[in-house]
Amino acid sequence: MGKYEKPIFQIVRGISDANIAFSDLINLMQHFGFEMHIKGTHHIFRKNGIEEKPNLQKEGNKAKPYQVKQIRNIILKYKLGVEYAE
């Protein structure tokens, strides 16, 4: 699997929301073309055509499970990375 295939597969399948590396989630959002703005510990993402503006914070080196779920909903709603999720 390539650099983005494994995290997309894990996120879309909901395999292990508590075990997604924060850095993988950040890299994935940037791969999808989101702009990142950092305010303190908050990593805020924006992208034209996407109404949601996810706000991510780490928990250790992992992403918070509820935030992984929010990203999953965005990926599915806008069909981001579908070539990896099949």
Side-chain angles (χ1 to χ4, degrees), residues 41-82:
T41 60
H42 297 263
H43 294 68
I44 304 161
F45 292 88
R46 296 185 178 124
K47 181 177 178 178
N48 287 336
I50 308 268
E51 67 182 75
E52 295 85 357
K53 294 180 178 99
N55 179 353
L56 306 178
Q57 289 180 286
K58 5 176 168 179
E59 191 163 272
N61 347 341
K62 304 292 182 185
K64 294 181 179 183
Y66 79 92
Q67 293 172 340
V68 173
K69 184 177 178 181
Q70 289 174 346
I71 300 305
R72 176 174 41 255
N73 291 337
I74 291 170
I75 289 170
L76 295 173
K77 179 178 179 179
Y78 296 98
K79 297 180 177 25
L80 302 173
V82 292

Side-chain angles (χ1 to χ4, degrees), residues 3-62:
K3 181 178 180 178
Y4 300 106
E5 292 174 12
K6 185 177 179 182
I8 291 172
F9 182 78
Q10 289 177 316
I11 292 167
V12 170
R13 300 286 188 229
I15 293 171
S16 55
D17 289 353
N19 289 318
I20 303 295
F22 185 74
S23 60
D24 286 347
L25 200 55
I26 296 290
N27 290 334
L28 188 61
M29 295 299 286
Q30 292 176 324
H31 172 72
F32 287 145
F34 283 82
E35 289 183 30
M36 180 174 64
H37 302 278
I38 300 173
K39 286 188 175 185
T41 60
H42 297 263
H43 294 68
I44 304 161
F45 292 88
R46 296 185 178 124
K47 181 177 178 178
N48 287 336
I50 308 268
E51 67 182 75
E52 295 85 357
K53 294 180 178 99
N55 179 353
L56 306 178
Q57 289 180 286
K58 5 176 168 179
E59 191 163 272
N61 347 341
K62 304 292 182 185

